[in-house]
């Protein structure tokens, strides 16, 4: 028999008191009893919908063969965009989509991707395998995709191998209403209306594939490039400066030291944070899984630390912190990459749970973040969709995003005990009027959780819940069995100020409750 340990719970008490939380192992079918409390009046900031943003790069089969099948494809499509992918992504709701890279961005020349498709040049993708691309997917096609799925476009500009003029011309082409040669060219190419692009990245990973620069070199480039980027048209541009990989303090300190005294600071500053896996995606051991889950503690700390570093230069908090590439990056299988494209990996339930841990970190840090973009949308890394021929499968990470959707635009609120250990129950909670959303991630593969959640000062009128789970950490949705892992309704009971629910092992559960 499993040992029984019991720790007490005091509603409304201090965090220290919560260290005495109930944990009665083996109570029923391996479930642990736990109690949490959410405090509707303790705001942690608004959860901007953009914290659920996405990223699509010209890499492997993300764009070509994934999202874009071409105008003459036998695969059902809308103006060349894979129809099923459009439907799934539209249903998911994609607040913002970053494109065309990644590393690809600093080798992309936007003029290659406009005009008559069969006259566009073929270029070698130097970063991702040296294959050629025919540029049939360019600026107009990307904006069309964004409109089809309801996303705000985010363009990552080329600093590494481009010029200030090239980037300013791209902006003019996209945003100037009419009457200049570039805006008239856009009209001739099918779009008399300006695209009104708000988000502009000024290079990508300039410390690496974007040009191997030092932070002060990049800062010089950032200042030079943005000098020539005015507001074209009626949309004030939002400029995004390249931040560090993970929590590199030196990059941030030197970049902002170089920006000191400048009238126009970046609107956004982005770090990249990947959660690396020690094994191929479908061959994880429990230890591999726990080591990957543990990285979400570092993500939490990195957000706090980087925000603090920026605040030292920007006491008014005008520069928005972003994480515009994040997600699981497991060990690649060369044969799979050869068959399906670079950085292709399966997305088992373990990856979906990891992705939900990341989303919970973002929700809890809502006041410190303005945008986060999962890498990537289709067939690359922590993807939402996997495709093969005319088949298109939604991954557990897609469903982790779907389960996070009720939090969008709501106020993130405090939960106790504090959520610090990604190997324990992870919680994010948010509220809008009487409507409460809670996402609960149980990272333990063999232990369910009987959870009692109290809502301070409120009564709960009703609660419903959906859960994504699987007992095999390596189980995934395949082309043969696309719906092996999908969210299912699970019972949640509202009683007085409490909601009770049983969380399956290795699960992501969202409760939507109405408060009385
Ligand atoms: O997302 C894959 C790659 O990871 C991107 O191209 C690059 O920015 C990062 O290193």
């Amino acid at each position: 028999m499993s040992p029984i340990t019991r720790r007490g719970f005091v509603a409304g008490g201090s965090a220290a008191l919560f260290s005495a939380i109930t944990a009665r192992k083996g109570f029923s079918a391996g479930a642990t009893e736990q109690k949490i409390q959410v405090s509707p009046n303790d705001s942690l900031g608004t959860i901007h919908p953009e914290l659920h943003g996405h990223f699509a790069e010209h890499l492997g089969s993300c764009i070509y063969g994934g999202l874009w099948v071409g105008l003459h494809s036998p695969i059902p499509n809308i103006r060349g965009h894979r129809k099923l992918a459009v439907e799934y992504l539209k249903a998911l709701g994609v607040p913002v989509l970053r494109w065309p890279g990644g590393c690809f961005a600093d080798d992309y020349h936007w003029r290659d991707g406009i005009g008559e498709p069969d006259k566009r040049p073929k270029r070698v993708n130097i970063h991702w395998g040296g294959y050629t691309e025919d540029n049939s997917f360019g600026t107009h096609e990307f904006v069309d995709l964004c409109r089809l799925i309801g996303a705000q476009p985010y363009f990552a500009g080329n600093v590494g191998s481009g010029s200030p003029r090239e980037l300013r011309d791209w902006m003019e082409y996209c945003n100037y209403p009419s009457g200049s040669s570039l805006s008239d060219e856009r009209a001739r190419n099918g779009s008399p209306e300006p695209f009104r692009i708000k988000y502009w990245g000024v290079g990508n990973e300039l410390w690496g594939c974007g040009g191997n620069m030092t932070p002060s070199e990049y800062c010089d480039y950032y200042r030079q490039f943005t000098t020539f980027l005015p507001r074209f048209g009626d949309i004030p541009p939002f400029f995004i400066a390249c931040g560090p990989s993970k929590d590199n303090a030196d990059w941030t300190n030197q970049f902002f030291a170089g920006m000191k005294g400048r009238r126009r600071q970046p609107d956004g500053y982005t770090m990249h944070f990947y959660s690396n896996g020690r094994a191929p995606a479908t061959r994880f051991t429990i230890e591999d899984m726990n080591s990957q889950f543990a990285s979400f503690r570092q993500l939490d700390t990195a957000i706090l630390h980087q925000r603090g570093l920026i605040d030292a230069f920007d006491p008014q908090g005008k520069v928005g912190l972003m994480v515009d590439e994040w997600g699981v990056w497991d060990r690649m299988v060369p044969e799979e990459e050869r068959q399906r494209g670079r950085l292709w990996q399966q997305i088992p339930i373990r990856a979906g749970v990891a992705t939900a841990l990341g989303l919970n970190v973002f929700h809890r840090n809502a006041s410190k973040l303005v945008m986060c973009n999962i890498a990537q949308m289709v067939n690359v890394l922590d993807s939402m969709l996997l495709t093969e021929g005319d088949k298109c499968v939604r991954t557990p990470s897609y469903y982790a995003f779907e389960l996070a959707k009720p939090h969008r635009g709501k106020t993130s609120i405090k939960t106790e005990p504090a959520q610090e250990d990604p190997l324990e129950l992870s919680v994010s909670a948010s509220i809008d009027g009487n409507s409460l959303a809670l996402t609960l991630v149980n990272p333990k593969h063999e232990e369910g959780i009987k959870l009692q959640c109290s809502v301070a000062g409120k009564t709960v009128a009703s609660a419903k819940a959906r859960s994504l789970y699987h007992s095999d950490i390596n189980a995934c949705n395949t082309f043969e069995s696309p719906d092996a892992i999908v969210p299912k309704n699970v019972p949640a009971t509202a009683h007085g100020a409490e909601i009770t629910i049983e969380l399956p092992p290795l699960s992501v559960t969202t409760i939507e409750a109405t408060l009385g």
Side-chain angles (χ1 to χ4, degrees), residues 55 57 59 102-103 128 204-205 274 325 329 343 376 381:
F55 167 39
E57 178 167 9
L59 193 181
C103 294
W128 300 114
N204 169 76
E205 295 194 353
Y274 284 100
E325 288 186 26
W329 186 323
L343 304 193
Q376 298 194 5
L381 298 176

Side-chain angles (χ1 to χ4, degrees), residues 265-438:
Q265 294 291 322
D267 301 290
Y269 178 75
T270 184
M271 70 167 150
H272 288 177
F273 196 106
Y274 284 100
S275 296
N276 297 106
R278 307 192 300 202
T282 53
R283 280 183 256 151
F284 265 51
T285 62
I286 306 300
E287 292 70 36
D288 296 333
M289 177 175 80
N290 288 342
S291 133
Q292 188 171 61
F293 286 174
S295 72
F296 289 92
R297 176 78 186 120
Q298 291 147 29
L299 173 62
D300 219 337
T301 318
I303 292 168
L304 192 70
H305 186 221
Q306 289 290 321
R307 184 66 263 172
L309 295 176
I310 301 168
D311 287 346
F313 293 95
D314 167 42
Q316 289 170 341
K318 288 190 175 156
V319 181
L321 178 62
M322 302 171 43
V323 188
D324 76 6
E325 288 186 26
W326 73 278
V328 297
W329 186 323
D330 300 331
R331 194 170 296 166
M332 293 300 143
V333 179
E335 186 48 34
E336 282 178 350
E337 281 194 291
R338 261 192 298 281
Q339 256 184 30
R340 302 180 183 276
R342 293 295 303 275
L343 304 193
W344 189 94
Q345 61 182 28
Q346 247 298 356
I347 300 295
I349 181 70
R350 176 266 315 157
V353 169
T355 302
L357 286 174
L359 290 167
N360 269 0
V361 168
F362 299 148
H363 295 166
R364 293 197 299 266
N365 286 290
S367 66
K368 302 181 187 70
L369 292 165
V370 297
M371 189 193 289
C372 304
N373 304 101
I374 185 82
Q376 298 194 5
M377 190 172 243
V378 180
N379 291 332
V380 168
L381 298 176
D382 199 347
S383 51
M384 303 294 107
L385 304 175
L386 296 175
T387 67
E388 184 183 77
D390 61 356
K391 297 198 181 97
C392 183
V393 166
R394 285 165 288 187
T395 66
S397 290
Y398 175 99
Y399 293 115
F401 269 77
E402 189 187 277
L403 288 168
K405 217 173 150 181
H407 293 279
R408 287 188 199 165
K410 288 195 172 70
T411 303
S412 179
I413 54 174
K414 196 169 167 192
T415 65
E416 288 179 286
Q419 310 293 309
E420 278 169 3
D421 183 352
L423 301 184
E424 297 291 336
L425 172 69
S426 147
V427 185
S428 71
S430 63
I431 194 156
D432 181 12
N434 281 342
S435 141
L436 173 77
L438 277 164

